[in-house]
Amino acid sequence: MRLLHTSDWHLGQTLHNFDRAYEHQCFLDWLLDTIVAEQADALLISGDVFDTANPSAAAQKQLYRFLQQARTRSPQLDIVVIAGNHDSPGRLEAPGPLLEAHGTVVVGHVVRNGEGEIDLERMLVPLRDKQGEVAAWCVAIPFLRPGDLPRDLDATADPYSHGIATLYQQAYALAQARRAPGQAIIAMGHCHMVDGQASLESERRIVIGGTEALPATMFDPAIAYVALGHLHLAQRVGQKEHIRYCGSPLPLSFAEVGYQHQVLRIDLADGAAREVTPLMVPRPVQLLRVPPQPAPLEDALAALAALELDGDLPPAAYPFLEVRVLLDAPEPGLRGRIEAALAGKPVRLAKIEPTRRQQTVAPETAAMTLDQLAQMQPDDIFRRLYLQKYGEEAPHDQQSAFAELVLAAGAESAP
């Protein structure tokens, strides 16, 4: 049996206000062709299908058109989708009955019965091979919030990690009871594992307080493969070949420019994962960081002027650009000078990243007590902050402008 593992599509995402529907559609078209070419039996989508809990109509249409086309082009394909922390569980599950009629199972949230017990049955999905026989069982567990976890747990353990481990153990036990000889057990999850490498620019923390990282030991050793979502960099967990993040199919921020985006192909035999193979996702739109490292403004402008770009690209495929500038002081005309250097070039200016030179903080800018701060006037605070950030006194014109703002604010608040 052959599976394809993907996650973190983030349909509907914008990059610094630029729409990315074209890139997402290129990926979905490639994935359709890959499903057919690889003769996949099942597709696992491990959460964060959408970028927000309230996705646009266009983003939802992209998803449902893909699911319909996948089933049309590969009639025996099983598709399992779980919700991620970006998704609305209810919204994702709403068309579930209709989707199930076309081979797609969506698990958005944990459901309890009248006695408050978790319904494990709905998180256990049979996967069939090309002969229509059940070849594997998928434990499809979505992103879990504290209220989703089993109750009456050991009070001495961390409630979040212990609760998730307990739920996986319970679901695995049910799958183990159902499996026949030779059938594999697959697990899906959307979570942050211990030592997982994250992209802090585009990945939300799942649980405030930093306690969300989970150990790989929570998965039973007999599970053939664990298909994870949430982290955008494709990576193994705990150096184990069968516990994987496939990563996102697109770079979701400039910090991910160097990622090798992929979908993972998993070949199962005799109840185990015999081979895990990355299938590299083509990048339809380039993300450029110019210069590669922050440089003085004149050097950055020269690098922009020297850019050689493909003028035959359609506008939707123009590269996104981040300009990295090293500054000694504020540069009020920064954007205008950069835009002038890019005039006529087939590129989209997405971000200007100014970096300040490291300054030695003067002794008088050391941390103050609250009592000392309360005795200072707004213009004193402004001057201290400017000195701390730029290593020099604020220019007279900026001090005057700040004073005008303070006066205007005081006039508006007066009775």
Side-chain angles (χ1 to χ4, degrees):
M1 187 177 194
R2 174 166 287 179
L3 314 176
L4 294 181
H5 169 205
T6 180
S7 73
D8 295 272
W9 293 359
H10 289 266
L11 298 178
Q13 192 227 13
T14 59
L15 183 67
H16 300 283
N17 296 320
F18 285 105
D19 182 79
R20 308 193 75 185
Y22 169 79
E23 296 166 88
H24 279 121
Q25 193 57 53
C26 288
F27 162 66
L28 295 176
D29 292 342
W30 173 86
L31 184 55
L32 286 171
D33 292 339
T34 301
I35 289 169
V36 175
E38 297 292 337
Q39 299 182 350
D41 298 297
L43 175 68
L44 310 179
I45 307 174
S46 299
D48 282 357
V49 179
F50 296 116
D51 191 58
T52 67
N54 187 26
S56 67
Q60 294 179 71
K61 188 174 182 179
Q62 270 194 319
L63 172 64
Y64 299 130
R65 182 192 292 117
F66 166 81
L67 295 176
Q68 181 269 326
Q69 291 176 336
R71 187 68 171 183
T72 298
R73 295 185 60 181
S74 183
Q76 300 303 315
L77 182 73
D78 287 330
I79 303 176
V80 185
V81 184
I82 61 171
N85 59 301
H86 281 247
D87 298 312
S88 163
R91 185 182 295 277
L92 203 61
E93 278 194 359
L98 181 61
L99 294 176
E100 286 179 15
H102 295 84
T104 298
V105 175
V106 180
V107 182
H109 62 287
V110 171
V111 173
R112 299 179 187 271
N113 60 23
E115 288 73 39
E117 298 174 341
I118 294 175
D119 183 358
L120 298 174
E121 291 280 353
R122 69 188 303 272
M123 293 187 286
L124 188 60
V125 183
L127 302 178
R128 293 174 170 79
D129 59 20
K130 293 177 178 61
Q131 290 71 44
E133 301 295 330
V134 174
W137 292 90
C138 180
V139 175
I141 297 183
F143 166 64
L144 298 169
R145 294 167 175 82
D148 297 326
L149 304 178
R151 298 163 184 168
D152 301 324
L153 298 175
D154 180 2
T156 63
D158 174 69
Y160 187 73
S161 60
H162 182 53
I164 291 179
T166 299
L167 183 54
Y168 271 98
Q169 291 165 7
Q170 293 173 350
Y172 171 76
L174 179 61
Q176 183 71 10
R178 295 287 175 81
R179 70 180 298 205
Q183 294 177 346
I185 296 179
I186 308 299
M188 296 176 70
H190 191 91
C191 48
H192 189 168
M193 305 300 295
V194 170
D195 296 328
Q197 185 174 340
S199 168
L200 299 181
E201 284 191 19
S202 55
E203 290 166 354
R204 296 177 189 164
R205 295 189 69 86
I206 291 185
V207 176
I208 296 174
T211 61
E212 72 270 25
L214 306 169
T217 53
M218 74 180 196
F219 300 114
D220 192 282
I223 294 177
Y225 182 78
V226 181
L228 296 172
H230 178 56
L231 300 186
H232 300 165
L233 176 66
Q235 55 194 288
R236 298 169 180 82
V237 174
Q239 303 301 313
K240 297 182 182 298
E241 289 292 321
H242 71 293
I243 305 179
R244 298 277 196 122
Y245 288 101
C246 60
S248 62
L250 302 176
L252 298 172
S253 73
F254 283 96
E256 301 177 15
V257 168
Y259 287 9
Q260 297 294 311
H261 297 277
Q262 55 197 254
V263 166
L264 295 174
R265 183 186 71 200
I266 304 96
D267 290 318
L268 303 175
D270 300 322
R274 297 303 182 192
E275 188 174 7
V276 180
T277 306
L279 307 176
M280 309 314 294
V281 179
R283 187 174 293 184
V285 175
Q286 297 302 309
L287 273 67
L288 306 177
R289 306 181 97 175
V290 180
Q293 299 297 327
L297 179 56
E298 296 303 326
D299 294 346
L301 293 174
L304 296 177
L307 273 178
E308 295 184 3
L309 302 167
D310 185 355
D312 295 328
L313 290 174
Y318 283 2
F320 295 115
L321 175 65
E322 177 189 73
V323 181
R324 314 178 81 187
V325 186
L326 186 63
L327 299 177
D328 295 314
E331 180 64 46
L334 180 61
R335 174 168 285 274
R337 296 188 66 183
I338 288 174
E339 290 176 344
L342 294 173
K345 292 184 180 292
V347 68
R348 289 174 283 185
L349 178 59
K351 183 181 181 183
I352 299 174
E353 183 65 30
T355 302
R356 313 296 179 188
R357 293 187 190 274
Q358 293 294 325
Q359 301 286 350
T360 301
V361 178
E364 60 268 22
T365 63
M368 301 176 64
T369 66
L370 290 177
D371 289 339
Q372 290 173 324
L373 187 61
Q375 296 173 10
M376 295 186 70
Q377 297 300 314
D379 57 336
D380 295 324
I381 297 174
F382 172 76
R383 284 195 295 269
R384 282 181 62 92
L385 287 174
Y386 192 98
L387 177 61
Q388 185 174 353
K389 187 168 185 179
Y390 300 113
E392 60 184 26
E393 291 291 338
H396 179 72
D397 59 342
Q398 294 198 31
Q399 292 188 46
S400 299
F402 181 78
E404 290 178 11
L405 289 174
V406 173
L407 289 173
E412 289 181 2
S413 62

